[in-house]
Amino acid sequence: AVAFGKDDAVLATGGADKELKFWDIASSGREGSFSNRKAAVTALHWVGGGATLLAVSEDGSASTITDLKRHSGEQSSSPGTERKLSGVEDVLYSVAATTDGKTVFAGCHDGSVYVWEGGKAATKVEGKGFDRGLPVEKILGATWWSGEPIFLIKWRGCEETDLVPASEANAKAPQDVIKFYEDRVFWQNDGAQN
């Protein structure tokens, strides 16, 4: 993971070595590092004009780093202040925040997003509809809403259902839509022999 800091003067890097490093771009010298990670750093993001660095890892940990201090490499004091956010159970692959840094967002492999607001524990926000990334188990029903047909869809491996526009379901799950209509079309036999 790589992220440029304020005025592109500082570069933050992190990776499989489980170390978060800070580099001075002008001198190409390392200014400091945090080596207390338990897992690889997967994403970095600067906020607040480069005053705060966000870091997430493959073990679900997330942290903010502030008060960065420039070191010559011989000093052993901490390069800044690290505050750990509540950990989560998923691998985190991306991180971003509001411009004031008070709300932090981290993305997971399944498209869900964790949100930390005001230092509170993370809340998982999962996608709805086809954004869940799950296959359709069954279309349960259909209705009209705002002048458009919509389907009530049950997802395989999930207890929740979602209302999905028919145009989206037609494009992303055409066989399920056909099955829904086939199950509901009743042919009336008028007694004629063919």
Side-chain angles (χ1 to χ4, degrees):
V2 177
F4 282 96
K6 186 175 183 182
D7 300 326
D8 295 336
V10 177
L11 178 70
T13 63
D17 64 356
K18 304 176 187 174
E19 192 170 357
L20 185 54
K21 300 172 190 158
F22 300 95
W23 306 86
D24 178 277
I25 298 298
S27 70
S28 299
R30 188 161 87 176
E31 293 190 340
S33 65
F34 286 90
S35 56
N36 59 345
R37 305 219 135 15
K38 294 178 181 153
V41 176
T42 52
L44 301 167
H45 179 72
W46 290 94
V47 293
T52 301
L53 179 69
L54 305 173
V56 295
S57 300
E58 66 183 6
D59 65 352
S61 63
S63 58
T64 61
I65 298 161
T66 57
D67 305 320
L68 281 177
K69 300 174 188 89
R70 294 183 166 232
H71 287 206
S72 65
E74 298 170 3
Q75 298 163 316
S76 61
S77 64
S78 173
T81 304
E82 182 173 19
R83 183 175 65 90
K84 297 200 182 282
L85 303 175
S86 64
V88 300
E89 298 289 323
D90 289 309
V91 176
L92 301 175
Y93 288 106
S94 61
V95 65
T98 55
T99 53
D100 62 7
K102 292 182 180 178
T103 305
V104 177
F105 306 87
C108 299
H109 69 284
D110 63 359
S112 61
V113 175
Y114 282 95
V115 180
W116 290 265
E117 290 187 89
K120 296 179 184 173
T123 302
K124 188 172 186 177
V125 179
E126 298 184 62
K128 299 290 183 190
F130 285 97
D131 290 340
R132 291 180 185 274
L134 298 173
V136 172
E137 181 174 304
K138 185 175 184 178
I139 298 176
L140 302 174
T143 189
W144 285 87
W145 186 43
S146 298
E148 179 180 13
I150 58 170
F151 292 115
L152 178 63
I153 297 180
K154 166 83 171 80
W155 308 99
R156 192 169 301 134
C158 179
E159 294 301 316
E160 296 181 35
T161 58
D162 295 308
L163 291 171
V164 176
S167 58
E168 185 178 10
N170 293 341
K172 295 182 177 177
Q175 294 303 318
D176 296 295
V177 172
I178 291 168
K179 170 112 175 78
F180 173 77
Y181 286 120
E182 285 178 342
D183 290 347
R184 283 155 182 79
V185 172
F186 297 100
W187 299 98
Q188 186 169 353
N189 186 344
D190 61 3
Q193 298 284 332
N194 292 336

